[in-house]
Amino acid sequence: MLFRAGILERIADGEIDLAFRCWARPAIREGTRLRTAVGAIVIGKVTPVGAGGPGLEDARRAGFADIAALMNDLRTGEGRTIYRIVLAGIEPDERIVRQNGKLTEVEMAGLAARLAHWDRIAPADNYHWKILRLISERPGVAAAELSAVLGVEKLKFKRDVRKLKELGLTISLDTGYRLSLRGNSLLEGSK
């Protein structure tokens, strides 16, 4: 479940506390935490909307001027149901916290071991280290270009960068990536 940047800002400001989506079946559950640029959005109740559709107050709570604007934004279709999703709050994204700190020797050793484990089944020797070095050398470069340098499919490359992001080593930009302080610290410590 994705939100446009403008909507995320309004969620962070508390202006928007509902969302609506059309799905064949719910794609998220209550209690899910969606990581976003403004933090982790906590999902509250997810309920199907009745035959009457969403009301005006709910449309406004979702950031729309009226019901027509909300309905125009939804991807309705046969076999799809409109779901009302309560946005229960925003929590700090733990990845951001991890990205901000330098590494201790113990953390560095643990991360190096994790990358070595992943590299055992990777398409090339030191594959994840190569990703880190490439991002370090070419921040803000599109994934398609970076994946071509490594000779892997773009989708695989993006999945692998997400794994590094989960460790707090990379940061996604509007286009491309850059290393976090932790990523730089790990790369510097590996020399």
Side-chain angles (χ1 to χ4, degrees), residues 64-156:
F64 296 92
D66 53 39
I67 297 168
L70 168 61
M71 295 306 291
N72 284 336
D73 191 62
L74 292 174
R75 294 184 181 140
T76 58
E78 189 175 327
R80 293 174 152 247
T81 301
I82 299 173
Y83 287 89
R84 180 182 188 269
I85 303 143
V86 174
L87 307 177
I90 297 180
E91 298 175 349
D93 184 341
E94 68 277 359
R95 294 174 306 173
I96 302 302
V97 173
R98 287 196 305 259
Q99 290 169 353
N100 291 332
K102 292 213 172 201
L103 294 171
T104 66
E105 287 186 29
V106 171
E107 290 172 315
M108 199 171 301
L111 288 168
R114 174 76 61 96
L115 296 185
H117 174 74
W118 287 345
D119 281 345
R120 281 186 226 141
I121 58 169
D125 290 339
N126 298 313
Y127 171 70
H128 292 87
W129 288 100
K130 288 177 182 175
I131 292 174
L132 290 173
R133 285 187 190 94
L134 188 59
I135 290 171
S136 174
E137 295 164 3
R138 301 173 79 178
V141 174
E145 189 175 329
L146 296 176
S147 64
V149 170
L150 294 176
V152 297
E153 292 180 0
K154 181 174 93 170
L155 290 178
K156 177 182 178 15

